[in-house]
Every structure is written in structure tokens, then in C-alpha cells.
Amino acid sequence: MPAPRFWPAPVLFGAPAALLVVLALALWLGWRAGLVPVVRNALAGGCLALAAVAVGAVVWAAQLPEYCQSGNGRLVVEDGQCVGISDGGHAFVEELRPVSARIKALNDRVTRGDTPYATIALMIPMTPDGESRAERTQLLREVQGAYLAQYRADEAGKEDVPIRLVLANPGRDGRHGRQVADWLSDMARSPKDRLRVVFGFNLSVRQTADTIGYLTRQKHIPVVGGPITATDLANDRDNRYPGLAKVVPSNLDQAHALQHHLEADDEKTFLIEDISGNDMYSRSLRTAFREVTKGAANGPERYDSSQVTNNDFRLMVNNVCDSEATTIYFAGRPPALARLINALGARGCTDRHLRLVTVSGASTIALDPRLDWSALAPGRGLTVEYATITHPDAWTVRHNAGARTPPATGGSPHALGVLTGLLEGDSPEGPGDIGPTDLSDGRTITMYDSALTAITGIENRVTRKGPVPALANIAEAWNHLHGVAKVSGASGWICLGSNGTPYDKAVAIVRLVPGSGGADGHLAFQGVAWPTGRALTEETCRNTRG
């Protein structure tokens, strides 16, 4: 591998090469000077020994990893990307440069202070492939959410234990998750770093499950999930992920909330599902939607996301038109969703209004350049709605012509207002420039709540000001985060049950609304729905078994 950046390559390779040249010159001069054989042999032996050292130095340097940041041994180049852990001193992509700088500045203030601090790590892929606008925007918003939670704890709230935030990149698709988890484990046992929680995780895929399992089962590090909604990526009777807490409703919970909101005729529902086997999100959503569409008169239509073509979607849509379905449930990822929307926009049965629905995995669909917004134009007979983890309008009071009052329980305008207040303030002492912000897709809010839950777990284990709670004590906090100890998240109340998942968590329903003339549109909030069909209350938050 190329030489590490701690020492310049000219030094690592040039110095031994120069030494070899000097030794060769010394031998030549010794021979020319007519030295006696004993002296000549001693000089030759010494030169050969030094030459062996020089060659060994070159071989050693060539085997060192390529480091991404001088002085940081936990940030290396793998597969052409920087993988590992940064305290904000390294920006993984250009879009993260402003917020990374703010994280670094706040971390420096925390580490220079006199009070012992705890470290939390945001672990999500931070090196998107290519120039994907959707992935880069999602990444920025999630890192912003984590930083705002840290800022709230350290500057606005002045918690007993200062919080240091690090960014942990397992690489594209999380393929280097175990390597990064080993470094995080070292930090958890370091008296300097005092890592206490790893949070984030934004993809319900096998690599994520493996990394969470490795952290919780083998490294005994508490984990708080971000927007991971796969129903089976949670604890069960076998306690597969001891120490895992989640802050978002599962795919099954979202499916039930969506069903309660739609009140659709079961016989007129139609399921289109991804049957590829490697995606935990699609698999668990497929299972959830099969349950809520079991009364459907037609379908389902199936496709494999690794092989599907646009023509396949056109054929599926023809079968939808031949049925009497009015509500289509879609179990798949946003790229396939965009292609399905485009095919529905070009269908022949425009005289029948169709409603296409899915869940929170669609949160980046509005940024997908492949989406043909004109398919949703008035007169085309198609609306697209999805259940999402949260939306800022869910807990915002409106006093204008579109007056709306949020639910009385299950969340609060105040909790959301704490977050929006951080973004709206223009004080020099505020969070500072973190890049363009937007709460509408829920990504910032979700990661803020994930970090907030991690910080709450640490704070709840503090017995006296000063010492940082032991690593083994943190996960115990998850068992008590309900009732009066609930987390008042910006997305709604987080009332953890015995399996570490939130009970009856609020779900926001949004609709894709096209711009004029088929231009790119926006998300329009439709309402709040609940997995149980009724709002979470103080009583049900205390008794998370329902």
C-alpha cells in the first residue's frame, strides 16, 4: 500500500534510497583509497548491514496502511475511500465540511475542559458512491442531527457529563463495519476516550445487523439505532442484540399505522413486492404488507430488484389496471419506487384513481432524479403517500388559514421547538454554520433523537457529578426509558419496551406533491397515525405492553 501520510513518501522511501547511494559511494571511495583488506572488509560489512536496514525500512513502509489524517491511526484508506473514525478534523465528503468543522470545534472545547467527558459515535456510511444527490443530502442531514444533539447537551443544556461526538464510517454498504467496531471497542476501554454508546445505523441490511450484533454481543457496547426499521432488526426472546435500543417504529408498526390512516377496502388493495433475499428492509416490509393486504382480491406482483427492468414495471401496472384495485402497497426501495411511479403515470387506466403507498424507506424519493413528477400531475389519477418516521409539521401548531393542532399526547411542540430553535437562532454562540438544513424528510430529526436517546442513557446512569458512568451500566438505562423517564424526542415520545423498541410511536403520513408544469415537487404533511390506531398516552407510555 502507499506510504502513510503521517510521514511524507519522499522521507519514507527517499531517505533509505539516499542512504544506499551514500553507502555505495563510501565503498567505492574505500576501494579507491587503497585501504588495507581488514579495514576494507569491515567497511563492506558495515555498509551491507546498513543497506539491509535501508531495504527493510522500504519494505516496512510499503506495508503500512494509507492514512487519511495525520496523527489519526483509526482513519485509513480502504477500497479508495477513507474508513474509520474522525473527531471532525477530517470531512469524509465536501458536503460535510461545515458541520465537521463545528463538531471539531465543540469537541476541542469539551476535551479541554476540566469535567470528564463521554464519547458517542455516529456510525453510518459516509462515503457515498459517485455523485448521488439523494445519498449526499441524506448523509449531511443525519450528521447535522447528531451534531445538534451534541450541541444541545454541551452548550444549551449543560449536562453533567460533557459529550464528545465522533463520526465512524464503516465504508460504502457498511462492508468495513467490523474493522471500525474494533477501533470503537478500543475507544470504549480507553480511559481517555470513554466511548459509551454507538448510535445511528441508517440501513436495514445484513451488514448493519452483523455490525450491531458484533458491537452488542461481543464488544458489549450499547447501541441506539437511527432510521433502521426492519422489524426483525431488534431484540426478541433470544436477545439477539443485547444493549440495542431503537427510536423509530418498525416496518410492521408503520404498516399498521398506514392501514388505520387509509381505511381502505381490503379487497381493493394490491401488493407489489421486492423478493430479493439480501435486503432486510424489503423482506420485513414484504411480510408486513402481506399481513395488511391479506384480503386483497388480486396480486401480489413480485420483482427482484437486482434484475428488474422498466418493462417489468409496465407489465405489473397492466395487471393493476386489469384488477379493481384502488390502493397499491409497495414493498421495496426508492429506486424501484421511482420506476413504478413513472410506469403508473403512463398507464392506460387513468379513469380510475390509484393511491400508491409505502413506508419510511421512501424518504429520499423526492430527491431521486429518475422520478417523473409529471406522473403525479392533476388529472393523471395518481397520488403517492407514505408513512414516514416523522415530519416537522406533525408537532407544529398552525394559526393561519390551514390551522392545525397537533395531537395532545404522544409528542409535543415544545420538544420539536428545542430543535428548530437551534436552527433558527442567529446568535454568535449558536450551533454555527452546518450547511443547508431541511427537516422535511425527517432524517435530521431522527438522528437527533437517536443521539438524544444515547445521551439520555448516559445521563440517567450518573449518580454524582464528575465520574463518567461505566460502559456496563449504560444499556440498563434502556429498560427504564418510558413513563416519566420517556425520551421527549422531536419526532414524538420514545417509550421503550422490554425489547428496546418504541411502543406505539407516532407515524407521520406525507404525500408527494408535484410542482407546477410537472416540475420537481415537495412533501405535504397529511396527518399523524398510530400503530395501535389510537394516540399514545401517558398511561400507555408507562405500560409499554399496551
Side-chain angles (χ1 to χ4, degrees), residues 122-431:
L122 170 64
M123 192 170 187
I124 55 174
M126 299 192 193
T127 43
D129 194 9
E131 298 298 325
S132 169
R133 176 191 170 203
E135 287 186 34
R136 289 172 179 269
T137 300
Q138 171 185 313
L139 170 62
L140 172 61
R141 291 175 183 173
E142 290 179 344
V143 175
Q144 288 171 336
Y147 165 68
L148 290 168
Q150 181 201 19
Y151 180 86
R152 170 185 169 172
D154 290 335
E155 298 294 333
K158 297 291 185 183
E159 300 288 359
D160 290 340
V161 178
I163 298 298
R164 173 176 174 249
L165 171 65
V166 296
L167 307 179
N169 177 29
R172 298 183 194 101
D173 302 322
R175 67 187 68 168
H176 299 285
R178 181 163 291 222
Q179 177 183 1
V180 176
D182 284 334
W183 285 329
L184 291 170
S185 178
D186 292 341
M187 294 176 65
R189 284 145 187 85
S190 162
K192 175 185 176 182
D193 293 308
R194 295 182 293 274
L195 177 79
R196 290 298 178 262
V197 182
V198 179
F199 72 101
F201 298 99
N202 57 5
L203 288 171
S204 295
V205 294
R206 176 47 54 191
Q207 291 92 332
T208 297
D210 289 345
T211 301
I212 291 176
Y214 185 62
L215 284 167
T216 56
R217 287 194 304 269
Q218 295 180 245
K219 298 301 182 180
H220 309 291
I221 298 174
V223 170
V224 179
I228 47 173
T229 60
T231 306
D232 53 349
L233 186 46
N235 278 314
D236 53 17
R237 293 178 181 176
D238 297 328
N239 202 26
R240 286 179 296 170
Y241 307 102
L244 169 64
K246 295 174 68 175
V247 300
V248 300
S250 68
N251 283 342
L252 182 59
D253 279 353
Q254 292 184 58
H256 286 154
L258 192 59
Q259 184 181 34
H260 291 306
H261 170 77
L262 295 174
E263 297 181 341
D265 182 343
D266 289 348
E267 289 191 0
K268 294 187 177 182
T269 60
F270 196 104
L271 174 60
I272 296 178
E273 58 183 18
D274 180 2
I275 58 171
S276 58
N278 296 326
D279 189 348
M280 294 180 71
Y281 168 82
S282 295
R283 185 174 68 240
S284 73
L285 183 55
R286 181 171 70 235
T287 301
F289 277 176
R290 284 178 180 176
E291 179 179 324
V292 299
T293 61
K294 57 188 175 184
N298 298 96
E301 286 287 333
R302 299 181 172 94
Y303 71 94
D304 184 333
S305 56
S306 65
Q307 304 178 42
V308 70
T309 66
N310 290 335
N311 190 55
D312 291 327
F313 283 111
R314 285 192 290 269
L315 294 174
M316 292 183 225
V317 167
N318 288 340
N319 288 333
V320 172
C321 284
D322 286 343
S323 74
E324 295 183 356
T326 56
T327 301
I328 307 167
Y329 283 81
F330 175 75
R333 292 277 184 182
L337 176 60
R339 297 164 79 176
L340 176 59
I341 292 172
N342 296 347
L344 285 167
R347 73 189 189 281
C349 57
T350 54
D351 57 323
R352 182 179 3 132
H353 186 272
L354 296 178
R355 179 167 51 181
L356 174 62
V357 298
T358 188
V359 300
S360 59
S363 62
T364 59
I365 186 64
L367 298 172
D368 195 322
R370 292 161 293 198
L371 175 62
D372 179 9
W373 283 91
S374 67
L376 304 172
R380 304 295 289 273
L382 176 66
T383 58
V384 177
E385 294 182 346
Y386 63 89
T388 186
I389 294 167
T390 188
H391 188 278
D393 285 351
W395 304 106
T396 302
V397 178
R398 300 292 185 191
H399 297 293
N400 54 21
R404 181 179 60 252
T405 302
T409 58
S412 73
H414 171 74
L416 176 64
V418 172
L419 172 59
T420 56
L422 294 175
L423 293 174
E424 294 167 358
D426 55 4
S427 166
E429 293 78 28

Side-chain angles (χ1 to χ4, degrees), residues 109-121:
R109 291 200 294 274
V110 166
T111 56
R112 285 196 301 262
D114 297 328
T115 306
Y117 57 85
T119 299
I120 61 175

